Amino acid sequence: MILTRCLPLIWLFLLTACAGRTLYPLPGKGGKSAKLPIQTLRPYNIAHRGSNGEIPEETAAAYLRAIEEGADFIETDVLSSKDGVLICFHDYTLDETTNVASHKEFADRNRTYEVQGSNKTGFFTFDFTLKELKKLRTKQRFSFRDQQYNGKYPIITFEEFITIAQDAPRVVGIYPEIKNPVLVNQHVKWPGGKRFEDKVVETLKKYGYGGSYLSKKWLKRPLFIQSFAPSSLVYISNLIDSPKVLLIDDVTILTEDTNQTYAEITSDVYFNYIKQYVVGIGPWKDTVVQVSNNYTQAPTDLVKRAHVHNLQVHPYTYRNENEFLHLNFSQDPYKEYEYWINEIGVDGLFTDFTGSLHNYQEWTSPLSETSKSPRQLLGQIASLTQKVVRQGKQDNHLGVRDVDIQSAPRNIVETRSAASSGPERTAPQDSKTITDIPSILLNKALKANLDSPDFEPLQRDATKKDKETLRTPYPLPGVGAKGGKLPIQTSRPYNIAHRGSNGEIPEETAAAYLRAIEEGTDFIETDVLSTKDGALICFHDVILDETTNVASHKEFFDRKRTYEVQGFNITGFFTFDFTLKELKKLRTKQRYSFRDQQYNGKYPIITFEEFITIARDAPRVVGIYPEIKNPVLMNQHVKWPGGKRFEDKVVETLKKYGYGGSYLSKKWLKRPLFIQSFAPSSLVYITKLTDSPKVLLIDDVTVLTEDTNQTYAEITSDVYFNYIKQYVVGIGPWKDTVVPVNNNYIQAPTDLVKRAHAHNLQVHPYTYRNENEFLHLNFSQDPYKEYEYWINEIGVDGLFTDFTGSLHNYQEWTSPLSETSKSPRQLLSQIASLTQKVVQQGKQDNHLGLRLHARSASALGVRASDELFGDSGCDVLLFCGVDPCNPPLSAFPNLSK
């Protein structure tokens, strides 16, 4: 085979240097102590007023955090003090983001001025000297953001801002806005009749800024100058050749200087005029993609037309909180980035959360810098190579978790990250380390006989910290070779769809479960309750009030009752007071008002058997995770023939559909199942009925169990773990029991996970939700950061989530064997990219990877793949007669299928 014969040459080539894109780790410097250049290969990450989603805006701390998190540019608004000093501040009044109101000495500074045709009252920046402004301290603009930094940081000057950028450990651009120039020029006078704009440009020149876009001078000191005032940008074009960006507000608003609407400003006629002075536009994103009732509509042609005029497009502002995320994006900021970058095709994004945008771009980039060393890169190459030869054999093996030899008799297999607390795992005797790549990993992967039933995934030393465990590829949806369903993955923490994908669709409905399967869940979870006539249904609450329209059904008004439930009197419409036929008349609705309401009233309650059918009809193997809900209450109010219990009916239904078998047995892998309950006695009871794995749910440690009257503090003791592990394979704790919370900040984690793992118990915490109402402030309103913490730091084995798509994306994007590439040809291209990175690792400062847009590639006669890999990236395999940008599959006989 051509590639096999060329392996020695490839390996030799890996040790040589070649040209290509400069790598971009953060923070750091390139070779010979030179700063790493700014990246120009992908849309710019523009830190809007710094990383102000975490720290008060326009402060030194916010800008330093943004640089630390990976911003390409730090953005600021330039205003003036009374004595003509340029400051970094967004509002022309100090009221909203400083503590000026608490300074009694400034009480007489509260003034009213006309601003763009309206009277505005407040403490205006230009009524204070710089010395006075320096007495103030900043605070967060939004109450739902982290308030711990309020009152700590002063207002900074424009020169201090510039110094922050220039002192960064890599080249970081600046993106100043000439803010309210008409107002500032009215109220601040400089010597010699100079204008506000003159002072801004003088300051920029003082610090070495200048040069046209992508010129050598610009690349040394990257800069965009922005303004909502077209005449200001035209004016400063005579002062400096730095690139300028015209900001675009809502199309109905008038410009402050020319009195034009932004509808006129965005016309082709105006674009043809203004492009003489600017290199791009910065539109409000709702001007690009209009919004109705918090849903994005079809995009306008604004980006397309701007690109036709060779204007870049840098929309504003991207924020993680669900107050700003439109419902189309399922409260997932990464989905919004994906849409704007891949669908709309913007060239830069103003974001309040630079770390989130940087993570998205790094995780989804074929040239991401998650691996820093040649050894790690070679590991990725080996993994991808194995994927190429395994692409046609999806159903040959189940990529099972590394087994702890000592616990093998219990058949309990656990997933742990290397960073997890808990006992180390012993690697299989024949495992190979990353140092064996040239002679073992590559050769074994390339020479593997795909038709052999003995072909096994390559093993890794489980004690290594690089965590690149090889797993069975897992595209969605799909079937394996010969028409068999793809197996459930078992090599990473389970994605458990909590009541379905209920962050998007009302909980426990068929639609919510189907969406979860579509989005990549491993298990769909449900709560099992009973009707009056003994039918098992999927419903969380014992009362129907909160998530159905029962209150609108007049025929059921007399069903409202009061019962004692776990020591409390509860009033409502109880499920067990309705027959199945009556319940089928109801329709479900969203539990939370801030979630998507468009599906309210559309979907009925489903039965447990309908739920099972959804899982079994999935295009791949999908597990089920039923909870025996409120068994004490159910057994009190519902009677089955023959004296049977609620638990008996649940198990009978499971057996009817072929569920059973111990964890990871062949039978279990065919029909994966965990049975869960908050009631320990129920799990002990059903152990006599089925050998399926069970999970004990854990509430707050102060709460009492409904059946044994124990606190969950007692339930989580080592003594109790030693007892209950005879009946269960894991625990499902409320996540705040694992990591306590104080004032919405997570504290040091408890030892619960470590102790559970010591007892060979898996840990599946609940519930992970995207909205900032549920995200603790440590995670910067970023659900992916929360997943990263729980998977990599805490080391859990499964996660109950309301947003299965977000967890699936996180795991796929950060996995060394993610399925973003589906074909051997794409995989070979990734291998070529990684190979180039290996040989480039010591050559950080040799080239500036310049942006090459697809729309201009054809005009330059360059293929899109050349942008991705450069010349040398393709040369690695071209050296062996294989073009990775267009590889002939005949070069790989085993891949012909």
Side-chain angles (χ1 to χ4, degrees), residues 508 553 798:
E508 316 241 16
H553 282 261

Side-chain angles (χ1 to χ4, degrees), residues 390-397 449-454 478-487 619 897:
R390 285 178 62 80
Q391 197 61 252
K393 197 172 178 68
Q394 299 285 18
D395 62 338
N396 65 329
H397 277 283
N449 181 356
L450 294 183
D451 296 323
S452 169
D454 298 322
V479 295
K482 303 175 184 177
K485 285 188 178 183
L486 289 175
K897 294 182 181 180

Side-chain angles (χ1 to χ4, degrees), residues 11-12 45 103 126 202 227 289 342 367 438 453 492 724 740 798 820:
W11 184 244
L12 177 64
N45 182 335
H103 282 261
F126 48 72
E202 283 178 8
S227 183
V289 181
N342 296 330
L367 291 175
R492 66 188 186 194
I724 201 66
T820 51

Side-chain angles (χ1 to χ4, degrees), residues 553-561 572-573 577-578:
H553 282 261
K554 294 180 180 179
E555 69 271 30
F556 299 140
F557 277 7
D558 62 342
R559 303 290 178 89
K560 198 167 194 177
R561 311 279 167 78
F573 297 92
D577 284 331
F578 292 75

Side-chain angles (χ1 to χ4, degrees), residues 588-607:
T588 57
K589 62 181 180 180
Q590 261 291 359
R591 181 177 296 272
Y592 299 110
S593 61
F594 46 77
R595 288 183 174 172
D596 195 341
Q597 305 296 306
Q598 69 172 313
Y599 302 108
N600 290 352
K602 291 188 176 182
Y603 303 121
I605 294 170
I606 63 172
T607 66

Side-chain angles (χ1 to χ4, degrees), residues 6 41 131 160 181 192 198 204 218 227 289 301 347 375 378 431 441-442 467 471 513 579 588 598 695 800 820:
C6 293
L41 284 172
K131 185 177 180 180
E160 289 169 335
D198 295 308
L204 290 170
W218 186 90
S227 183
V289 181
D301 63 353
D347 309 287
R375 176 167 293 176
L378 288 170
S431 66
L441 272 169
L442 287 172
K467 298 179 290 185
R471 70 177 180 88
Y513 292 120
T579 65
T588 57
Q598 69 172 313
V695 172
F800 287 86
T820 51

